[in-house]
Amino acid sequence: MFAAERRQRILDLVRANGAVSLRELAQAVHSSEVTVRRDLRALESEGLLNRHHGGATLPGELSREAGYAHKVSLESAEKAAIADLAGALVEDGDAIVIGPGTTTQEFARRLTRHSELAVVTNSLLVAQVLAGSPRIEVMLTGGTLRGSILALVGSAAEHSLAGLRVRRAFISGNGLTAERGLSTPNMQVAGVDRALAAAAEEVVVLADHTKIGVDTMVQTVAADRIDHLVTDDSAPRDVLDELGARGVRLHVAQF
């Protein structure tokens, strides 16, 4: 593949997906990651994309929030494997908080076999999944409905979490890097994610490979505050190694 053809293919992939990891791009164009990094630098210099450690995004992607309808169909096999692995971090009798997202929704489905769980969430999707489980007590935060992700946000949601103490927080996001930790494009979503993390003794991030190495506008949880990362084996190894060096315990689902 000639350089011009390869770069056009890279640009098409980024435009189609919004954010693409370096590994995925290298596989798609059948080139080395070194070559793709060089292509990304060239495309960035033309203002066609933004280059980040571990991948690339479209200009303006830092502040773009994908809606539920778009995210629910993406990486479904990976999300299911991540949910299976994360389920092992929950025991009967636990008190936990769960943030919004399609991966946390999938994780919630693994909890229905448990008993005597107390779950606090701002996600309508998570609450719906658990609604039919009589042995699980589900508490919704207050707040304003953010329809794009079907979650409650705002000061009321944050205040309802103040003073709460649970064993673990299970949260997702739009990007995760070793430098900034977890991030999301929206300030209101970030505020509630921070409150969820603050309520927990340990923070567990559920993120498929498309989120790893990607940075978005608002930091939610710094890397040194993340205790566990549950991801899949397509995540960029260099980013995982950096997170591991910062004390994050890695749980990688194999395919």
Side-chain angles (χ1 to χ4, degrees), residues 16-38:
N17 296 281
V20 188
S21 72
L22 183 65
R23 176 184 291 189
E24 288 178 305
L25 291 171
Q27 291 173 344
V29 300
H30 307 292
S31 298
S32 69
E33 292 186 7
V34 172
T35 298
V36 172
R37 282 195 185 95
R38 187 163 57 244

Side-chain angles (χ1 to χ4, degrees), residues 73-227:
S73 62
L74 300 177
E75 316 301 334
S76 57
E78 287 86 344
K79 290 173 183 176
I82 289 167
D84 288 339
L85 203 53
L89 297 173
V90 179
E91 300 175 1
D92 288 349
D94 274 351
I96 61 175
V97 295
I98 305 176
T102 51
T103 308
T104 53
Q105 177 189 20
E106 195 67 31
F107 163 69
R109 293 192 175 100
R110 291 356 183 234
L111 302 181
T112 55
R113 66 180 183 271
H114 285 284
S115 61
E116 305 304 321
L117 282 186
V119 177
V120 181
T121 185
N122 68 321
S123 168
L124 301 188
L125 298 169
V126 169
Q128 183 180 41
V129 167
L130 299 176
S133 301
R135 295 174 298 174
I136 299 177
E137 182 181 9
V138 181
M139 292 156 278
L140 272 168
T141 68
T144 302
L145 177 62
R146 187 166 181 81
S148 60
I149 59 171
L150 297 175
L152 300 169
V153 298
S155 59
E158 294 177 40
H159 290 158
S160 67
L161 293 162
L164 196 66
R165 197 61 175 168
V166 298
R167 184 179 179 215
R168 285 179 172 145
F170 293 85
I171 59 177
S172 189
N174 294 70
L176 176 65
T177 67
E179 292 79 12
R180 292 187 71 226
L182 195 64
S183 62
T184 186
N186 182 267
M187 293 184 72
Q188 286 190 309
V189 174
V192 181
D193 282 352
R194 281 193 289 268
L196 290 164
E201 295 174 0
E202 291 189 340
V203 174
V204 183
V205 172
L206 312 182
D208 67 65
H209 66 276
T210 64
K211 312 287 181 60
I212 309 300
V214 174
D215 203 2
T216 56
M217 190 170 72
V218 189
Q219 183 192 51
T220 57
V221 183
D224 60 6
R225 180 66 179 90
I226 298 170
D227 298 282

